[in-house]
């Protein structure tokens, strides 16, 4: 009997190992077939030692990640094999008990981030600007999330601790995870299967919650009918989306997602402008939907979540002349804010957005002082991304204190005008000799296009020793409103100047523009 039992166990074990064996054979075949010349040379020259084998392993990993022929097919087969074997962990992706994919999260100390929010709230309050902090739930921390046996997450406790500390400090917060639990929204109602983002219908719900709060506190008017479900036409793109977690494990590990595209059944008059990362060329549109993602399905090479507001740009500005609130809202956050903000724009005439993970043209509080918003809202999924919580509050207040101690001086600069030319980067120099480490405020009383078209004119802090731009400021064109730019010259011995471009750098050909009432303050000039 014992012999029979042993035979059965061995047979069962062998059957379970067959998929793994086939998979390993496939791996070695594909590695041999797709080995780059660089890797072959590495193998040839590999030192017979532990270090040598480690180096070789690294070359193979780079090959799989970058040069592997039919890499996506390999990822799919890897995911299928792992799924067949019942493994719930692959490439740092965790499959929850309901089949949804998430990432591992470790315990995080959010003390610094919490303090940064409290400092920002106090800074804004001192200027009469309302502030709301919205925490979108982390998928791994969503209420009731069930991890596979042997796995767990502390993200839920970390998020609760942060929200509790902010509430105690008097910061206005919205805990969407708590709201979803109170209103019996399940994970299936909120999240994509293969992505960490919430779905558009969850963003719509979050926009409703936001506007209800702003209305209750008397901050803004709420045109509630615009955020009702039946005010939108919903087009479902079936099996269209493989999320960021799904891209790591393939289409056969947890499947693929549908994605819904919401278009309004009411009048809008949008103007969209966005500044892509690493660029000075603005993207313009009269739509805040990027419908190109509806044209072709591409699981590994596309992110249809960017249908909403085009993606994660350092700076975006959206106007809606049909909105009930003639107010400026400044939004700061990560990619979770996109679908929420898409619906929020129905309520406000101007929505400015900064993604601090990509914005390099100054600090957040400098931009606050420049545009003077009525409301600042932070909408994020992260409690521990330091880039998202670096607002520059202390640095700005130190510069302001220095200005108050030393006094504010002003230099009247001559008005600048640039004639149209064939040059795509025509500019004029406004001033030179700016001191390293010094904070300045540039104000402009009027901007105008006399030829060509565009929404902005650009000023740039130029490092003359390297002939590279350090910071850029984009002033609204054809405006008689006083506009402000606050910046701090980097420390060092380099020489700096301020350039004024006709339009925006890289697209100035055929544009003629002017600045009027230009002043440069040494220090922080606070607008009256």
């Amino acid at each position: 009997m014992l012999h029979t039992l042993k035979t059965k166990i061995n047979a069962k074990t062998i059957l379970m190992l067959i998929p793994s064996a086939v998979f390993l054979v496939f791996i070695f075949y594909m590695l041999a077939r797709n080995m780059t010349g660089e890797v072959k040379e590495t193998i040839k020259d590999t030192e017979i030692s532990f270090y040598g084998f480690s180096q070789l392993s690294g070359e193979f990993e780079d090959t799989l990640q970058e040069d592997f022929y039919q890499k996506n097919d390999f990822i799919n087969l890897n995911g299928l094999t792992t799924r067949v074997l019942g493994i719930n962990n692959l490439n740092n992706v965790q499959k929850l008990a309901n089949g949804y994919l998430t990432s591992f999260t470790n315990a995080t100390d959010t003390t610094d981030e919490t303090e940064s929010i409290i400092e920002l709230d106090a800074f804004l309050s001192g200027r009469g600007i309302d502030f709301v902090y919205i925490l979108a739930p982390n998928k791994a921390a969503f209420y009731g999330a069930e991890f596979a046996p042997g796995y767990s997450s502390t993200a839920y406790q970390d998020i609760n601790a942060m929200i509790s500390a902010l509430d105690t400090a008097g910061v206005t917060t919205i805990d969407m995870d708590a709201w979803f639990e109170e209103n019996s929204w399940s994970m299936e109602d909120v999240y994509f299967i293969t992505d960490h983002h919430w779905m558009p219908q969850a963003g719509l719900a979050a926009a409703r919650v936001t506007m209800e709060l702003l209305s209750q506190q008397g901050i803004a008017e709420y045109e509630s009918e615009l955020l009702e479900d039946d005010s939108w036409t919903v087009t479902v793109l079936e099996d269209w989306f493989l999320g960021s977690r799904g891209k790591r494990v393939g289409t056969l590990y947890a499947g693929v997602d549908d994605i819904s595209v919401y278009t309004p059944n009411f009048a809008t008059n949008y103007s969209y402008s966005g500044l892509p990362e690493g660029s000075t060329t603005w993207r313009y549109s009269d739509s805040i939907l990027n419908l190109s993602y509806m044209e072709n399905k591409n699981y590994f090479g596309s992110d249809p979540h960017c249908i909403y507001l085009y993606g994660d740009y350092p700076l975006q500005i959206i106007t809606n002349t049909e909105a009930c609130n003639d107010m400026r809202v400044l939004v700061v956050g990560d990619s979770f804010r996109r679908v929420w903000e898409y619906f929020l724009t129905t309520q406000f005439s101007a929505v400015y957005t900064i993604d601090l993970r990509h914005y390099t043209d100054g600090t957040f509080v400098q931009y606050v002082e420049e545009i003077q918003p009525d409301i600042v809202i932070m909408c994020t999924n992260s409690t521990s991304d330091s880039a998202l919580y670096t607002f520059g509050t202390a640095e700005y207040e130190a510069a302001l204190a220095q200005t108050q101690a030393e006094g504010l001086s002003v230099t009247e600069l001559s008005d600048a005008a640039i004639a149209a030319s064939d040059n795509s980067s025509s500019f004029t120099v406004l001033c030179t000799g700016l001191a390293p480490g010094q904070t300045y405020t540039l104000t402009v009383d009027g901007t105008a296009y006399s030829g060509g078209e565009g929404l902005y004119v650009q000023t740039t802090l130029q490092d003359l020793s390297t002939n590279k731009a350090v910071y850029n400021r984009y002033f609204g064109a054809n405006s008689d409103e006083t506009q402000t730019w606050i910046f701090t010259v980097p420390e060092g011995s380099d020489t700096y100047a301020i350039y004024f471009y006709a339009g925006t750098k890289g697209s100035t050909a055929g544009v003629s523009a002017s600045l009027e009432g230009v002043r440069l303050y040494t220090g922080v000039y606070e607008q009256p």
Side-chain angles (χ1 to χ4, degrees):
M1 181 176 179
L2 289 175
H3 176 75
T4 303
L5 179 60
K6 182 178 181 181
T7 301
K8 289 181 178 179
I9 293 174
N10 287 342
K12 182 178 180 181
T13 302
I14 291 172
L15 288 173
M16 292 179 63
L17 290 175
I18 288 175
S20 297
V22 172
F23 181 58
L24 288 172
V25 170
F26 174 79
I27 289 176
F28 284 113
Y29 166 73
M30 293 299 284
L31 283 174
R33 179 181 176 186
N34 300 285
M35 202 177 295
T36 63
E38 182 180 353
V39 175
K40 290 178 180 177
E41 287 299 316
T42 302
I43 294 173
K44 179 180 177 181
D45 299 332
T46 296
E47 175 187 334
I48 306 302
S49 66
F50 177 78
Y51 171 78
F53 286 123
S54 298
Q55 180 188 19
L56 180 61
S57 174
E59 290 288 348
F60 274 130
E61 182 177 354
D62 290 342
T63 300
L64 287 174
Q65 294 295 326
E66 298 175 6
D67 302 324
F68 203 85
Y69 174 70
Q70 294 180 330
K71 180 178 74 171
N72 297 341
D73 293 334
F74 172 84
I75 293 173
N76 286 335
L77 182 59
N78 189 15
L80 176 61
T81 304
T82 307
R83 176 180 177 179
V84 169
L85 295 176
I87 300 172
N88 295 304
N89 171 27
L90 177 62
N91 290 341
N92 199 36
V93 172
Q94 168 69 205
K95 182 184 285 188
L96 300 173
N98 61 357
Y100 279 53
L101 302 182
T102 187
S103 296
F104 289 101
T105 54
N106 298 317
T108 54
D109 182 357
T110 61
T111 301
D112 291 343
E113 289 77 9
T114 302
E115 291 178 352
S116 292
I117 289 292
I118 294 171
E119 290 175 358
L120 178 63
D121 181 63
F123 176 87
L124 296 171
S125 177
R127 286 151 179 78
I129 302 172
D130 293 294
F131 175 66
V132 179
Y133 177 81
I134 303 174
L135 188 59
N138 185 303
K139 199 174 185 181
F142 191 77
Y143 82 91
E146 294 184 28
F147 282 74
Y151 300 99
S152 61
S153 171
T154 61
Y156 189 81
Q157 296 93 313
D158 297 334
I159 288 173
N160 281 347
M162 186 173 188
I163 288 292
S164 177
L166 292 176
D167 288 342
T168 300
V171 178
T172 301
T173 63
I174 297 176
D175 182 357
M176 283 306 301
D177 185 68
W179 186 91
F180 287 130
E181 183 173 11
E182 291 170 4
N183 290 272
S184 301
W185 282 52
S186 67
M187 183 176 290
E188 290 78 3
D189 297 323
V190 176
Y191 291 102
F192 294 105
I193 299 170
T194 67
D195 196 66
H196 61 297
H197 291 108
W198 50 10
M199 294 186 290
Q201 56 264 38
L204 176 57
R208 282 195 291 256
V209 173
T210 304
M211 290 309 303
E212 287 168 1
L213 173 67
L214 296 178
S215 175
Q216 290 167 3
Q217 295 191 354
I219 297 172
E221 181 183 343
Y222 177 24
E223 198 167 355
S224 59
E225 61 272 18
L226 301 187
L227 296 182
E228 294 175 358
D229 291 335
D230 58 8
S231 294
W232 301 83
T233 295
V234 182
T235 303
V236 179
L237 304 177
E238 297 183 352
D239 298 332
W240 200 264
F241 181 30
L242 183 65
S244 59
R245 280 33 178 179
K247 286 179 171 63
R248 298 183 63 85
V249 297
T251 61
L252 303 177
Y253 186 63
V256 296
D257 281 286
D258 301 338
I259 187 168
S260 298
V261 181
Y262 282 67
T263 53
N265 297 332
F266 48 88
T268 59
N269 187 11
Y270 282 119
S271 170
Y272 169 90
S273 61
L275 184 66
E277 185 176 7
S279 173
T280 54
T281 302
W282 285 80
R283 178 171 196 160
Y284 304 110
S285 177
D286 57 3
S287 170
I288 55 178
L289 286 175
N290 185 0
L291 299 180
S292 64
Y293 285 98
M294 300 177 66
E295 296 172 0
N296 296 297
K297 184 187 299 184
N298 187 340
Y299 288 140
F300 288 94
S302 176
D303 182 7
H305 189 256
C306 293
I307 286 174
Y308 296 94
L309 305 191
Y310 296 88
D312 295 334
Y313 285 16
L315 178 63
Q316 293 176 319
I317 301 173
I318 299 169
T319 62
N320 178 14
T321 60
E322 301 290 333
C324 59
N325 292 289
D326 185 16
M327 303 174 73
R328 290 180 176 179
V329 178
L330 176 56
V331 172
V332 58
D334 54 21
S335 54
F336 261 75
R337 54 93 194 158
R338 285 204 302 259
V339 293
W340 160 84
E341 184 178 340
Y342 172 75
F343 297 109
L344 190 77
T345 57
T346 63
Q347 307 289 316
F348 295 100
S349 60
V351 178
Y352 300 73
T353 304
I354 282 185
D355 187 331
L356 288 174
R357 298 170 302 172
H358 309 295
Y359 185 74
T360 58
D361 285 333
T363 68
F364 181 73
V365 296
Q366 284 175 341
Y367 197 71
V368 168
E369 291 286 61
E370 290 167 15
I371 69 168
Q372 297 286 297
D374 300 289
I375 309 169
V376 171
I377 306 177
M378 184 170 188
C379 182
T380 179
N381 161 252
S382 173
T383 58
S384 58
D385 188 335
S386 60
L388 282 169
Y389 290 86
T390 304
F391 305 113
T393 310
E395 294 87 343
Y396 180 84
E397 290 181 333
L400 182 59
Q402 181 180 1
T403 300
Q404 292 170 343
E406 298 177 358
L408 184 71
S409 62
V410 59
T411 301
E412 298 279 349
L413 302 179
S414 57
D415 296 345
I418 305 177
S421 74
D422 295 332
N423 190 329
S424 63
S425 297
S426 56
F427 68 91
T428 188
V429 178
L430 288 180
C431 65
T432 59
L434 281 73
Q438 178 64 53
T439 298
Y440 293 92
T441 305
L442 181 74
T443 64
V444 177
D445 289 341
T447 62
Y449 270 74
S450 51
E453 296 181 354
L455 295 180
Y456 304 99
V457 293
Q458 178 180 343
T459 52
T460 294
L461 176 65
Q462 191 80 2
D463 183 340
L464 299 181
S465 63
T466 62
N467 199 30
K468 292 182 179 179
V470 180
Y471 304 127
N472 300 290
R473 176 67 165 96
Y474 305 91
F475 293 114
N478 299 318
S479 170
D480 57 4
E481 175 186 4
T482 298
Q483 300 180 74
T484 303
W485 179 27
I486 303 169
F487 60 92
T488 302
V489 178
E491 295 282 359
S493 57
D494 296 328
T495 55
Y496 298 90
I498 297 178
Y499 288 178
F500 161 51
Y501 286 89
T504 55
K505 184 179 179 181
S507 57
T508 65
V511 177
S512 53
S514 62
L515 300 179
E516 296 179 355
V518 186
R519 300 176 184 85
L520 181 67
Y521 296 86
T522 302
V524 177
Y525 170 71
E526 294 188 288
Q527 300 180 58

